[in-house]
Amino acid sequence: MKPQDIVAGKSSLWIFGYGSLVWKPDFVYKRSKIGYIKGYKRRFWHGDNFHRGDDEMPGRVVTLIEENDACTWGVAFEVTGSQVEESLKYLNVREAVRGGYLTRVVDFFLQDTNQSPVQALVYIATPDNPIYLGPASTKEIAAQIAVCKGKSGHNTEYLLRLAEFMRVSCPNVDDPHLFSIEAAVLATKRPTLIAG
């Protein structure tokens, strides 16, 4: 499904971010809300050969994997008026062209509210994507993240900023996949920091 098809005739749109969008949306929006979507789990299974890696050493960034009982926390951004077209144009390059992500519409549930969910656009990388890396052990993922760097910076920064967002904005939510990779990366970097 293309974003244009989703927004046809709408004057506002919610966009759900669960990776770098939670700290670096880089588009103008009306408001943002913390919350979650159901039926998906966040995993460092997607390759990144632009922002957090390159062709020789692709970084690892998150995507969503369908799982009935799972939920993924993040931030939804509401864009209105001209912001809709501007944000979709920007995100098409950032997420689809450079990242290979596809779009889907999901129900977004706002944190600490009994309000009905709102429909939100989300970008998801699937196994059909040529730079999709798929599952690996925590140790393997951490080792790859620890050494990769792309045009937007070190892959480790991506991981640490996402973990920090979860701790600060969703302190009661456990994300074992994210936090175990963070611990493994920090364990590999600690000896380097001490030796330096």
Side-chain angles (χ1 to χ4, degrees):
M1 182 176 294
K2 295 185 178 180
Q4 310 83 277
D5 301 332
I6 296 164
V7 299
K10 293 183 180 179
S11 61
S12 72
L13 172 71
W14 286 90
I15 300 166
F16 178 68
Y18 56 91
S20 60
L21 285 180
V22 302
W23 77 84
K24 190 177 180 181
D26 279 349
F27 57 86
V28 178
Y29 54 92
K30 180 180 177 180
R31 61 185 170 147
S32 65
K33 298 286 183 181
I34 294 169
Y36 60 93
I37 62 171
K38 295 179 179 178
Y40 293 93
K41 60 186 179 182
R42 176 180 17 235
R43 291 293 181 263
F44 276 88
W45 291 2
H46 190 51
D48 185 335
N49 61 359
F50 185 83
H51 294 289
R52 301 295 173 170
D54 57 34
D55 290 333
E56 288 77 38
M57 293 180 61
R60 277 194 176 256
V61 292
V62 291
T63 187
L64 296 176
I65 306 300
E66 289 186 54
E67 185 173 285
N68 290 338
D69 297 334
C71 76
T72 297
W73 285 79
V75 178
F77 303 90
E78 183 183 22
V79 291
T80 60
S82 64
Q83 295 171 349
V84 174
E85 185 178 339
E86 292 163 8
S87 63
L88 290 179
K89 185 177 177 182
Y90 167 73
L91 289 170
N92 181 57
V93 173
R94 175 176 166 170
E95 304 295 334
V97 174
R98 291 188 178 141
Y101 288 78
L102 306 174
T103 53
R104 294 204 182 134
V105 175
V106 294
D107 286 335
F108 172 73
F109 298 84
L110 281 72
Q111 180 182 41
D112 301 328
T113 180
N114 292 327
Q115 190 176 345
S116 297
V118 296
Q119 292 222 301
L121 182 72
V122 66
Y123 289 83
I124 299 174
T126 66
D128 300 337
N129 188 314
I131 56 175
Y132 184 86
L133 299 173
S137 71
T138 297
K139 187 175 180 179
E140 291 169 320
I141 292 172
Q144 189 170 356
I145 288 173
V147 298
C148 289
K149 180 182 180 185
K151 293 185 181 358
S152 295
H154 290 276
N155 203 176
T156 299
E157 176 196 23
Y158 176 100
L159 167 69
L160 298 179
R161 283 184 178 250
L162 183 54
E164 178 184 26
F165 161 79
M166 286 299 295
R167 284 197 182 88
V168 171
S169 302
C170 312
N172 298 319
V173 177
D174 188 26
D175 190 329
H177 178 76
L178 171 63
F179 295 139
S180 66
I181 293 169
E182 177 196 33
V185 166
L186 291 175
T188 65
K189 293 213 173 263
R190 224 171 256 124
T192 306
L193 294 172
I194 293 169

